[in-house]
Amino acid sequence: MHPAVELHATQDVTDVPSIVRGAIKLGLIESVAVLLFSLASRFLPKGPVETVVLAIILFAGLAAVALLPGLWTRARSIEGIAGSAGMSLAAAVVFLLIDAAVLQNIGTYTNRWYEIGGGSGWWYHPVWWMAGTFISWMGAWLLANGTARAGQPSAPVAFGTAIGCTIIAAIIGVVLGVPGAGWNLATFGVAFLPGIALATALSSLGSRRG
C-alpha cells in the first residue's frame, strides 16, 4: 500500500470524479465571487472604498481560477495541465446554471450589465468559459513549471509573478492608448490574460519536466 500512496502523491490527479468535484467547487466559488462583486458595485458609494472592496474580490477570484485547478490536479505534466483546463471549462457550465437559475433572477446585475449585451445576460457566458479556461490552463502551467524547478509548487510565487506581469501589461495598454484602457480595475482584469501568459512564458525558462 505504501508504494501506491507515494505514486499517487507524485502524479497528476485527473480521474473523472476528481475533475467533476473540482469543477463543482470552482463553479460555486465563481458564483459567490460574482455575487459579491455585483452587490458591492450596486450598493457601495463610488469612491476609494468601493474600489478597494472590488479589487479584493477581483484578486481573490483571479487567484482561485488561476491556481485552484492546478493545485487540485497536482499539475506536473501535460495531463494535469489539461485536466485543470477541463475542470475550469466544466466550472463555467456550473456557473452558467447557477447564474441562469439564481443570479439573473434576483436583481444581482445593474441595467448597465444588460445594456452591454443588448438586453440579454447571455453575452458574457462565452467570454466566461473562454477566459476562465485560459486562465486555469496558464495557471496550471505556472504551477507545473514551479514544481519542475523547485520540486513543489508555490502558489504565492506563481500568482505574484502573474500579478506583476499583469501590471506591466496594463501600463503598456494605457500608454499605447489601447481602446478602453485606463487606470481602473476593468483594465487590470483584462490585462490579466496577457499578464498570466507572459508569466507562464517566463516561468518556463530553465524549467524541465519529464
Side-chain angles (χ1 to χ4, degrees), residues 7-208:
L7 181 64
H8 179 75
T10 57
Q11 288 187 337
D12 303 39
V13 179
T14 57
D15 57 288
V16 173
S18 296
I19 295 298
V20 172
R21 285 194 300 269
I24 294 173
K25 290 189 291 185
L26 185 61
L28 291 173
I29 291 171
E30 292 173 351
S31 300
V32 171
V34 169
L35 175 61
L36 293 176
F37 195 95
S38 59
L39 293 178
S41 300
R42 176 183 288 273
F43 294 112
L44 289 177
K46 301 297 181 182
V49 173
E50 181 200 35
T51 300
V52 171
V53 172
L54 292 180
I56 292 173
I57 298 172
L58 177 62
F59 272 60
L62 290 174
V65 175
L67 301 176
L68 288 181
L71 292 173
W72 289 338
T73 62
R74 298 176 187 170
R76 289 170 170 78
S77 66
I78 295 298
E79 181 178 349
I81 295 168
S84 300
M87 182 184 295
S88 188
L89 176 60
V93 176
V94 174
F95 169 76
L96 183 153
L97 296 175
I98 296 174
D99 183 61
V102 181
L103 300 183
Q104 292 186 24
N105 299 311
I106 61 174
T108 299
Y109 306 123
T110 62
N111 289 334
R112 185 190 310 171
W113 191 266
Y114 292 109
E115 290 170 359
I116 295 175
S120 172
W122 291 95
W123 63 271
Y124 53 87
H125 283 291
V127 176
W128 192 268
W129 70 257
M130 287 186 289
T133 303
F134 178 79
I135 290 173
S136 295
W137 179 40
M138 290 292 100
W141 269 111
L142 267 173
L143 293 170
N145 288 338
T147 301
R149 183 180 297 104
Q152 60 182 6
S154 174
V157 171
F159 191 65
T161 304
I163 291 298
C165 292
T166 298
I167 293 174
I168 294 173
I171 293 174
I172 292 175
V174 173
V175 171
L176 294 181
V178 174
W183 306 108
N184 50 52
L185 283 178
T187 297
F188 181 87
V190 174
F192 191 77
L193 296 173
I196 195 172
L198 176 59
T200 301
L202 293 175
S203 72
S204 67
L205 299 177
S207 65
R208 296 181 180 178

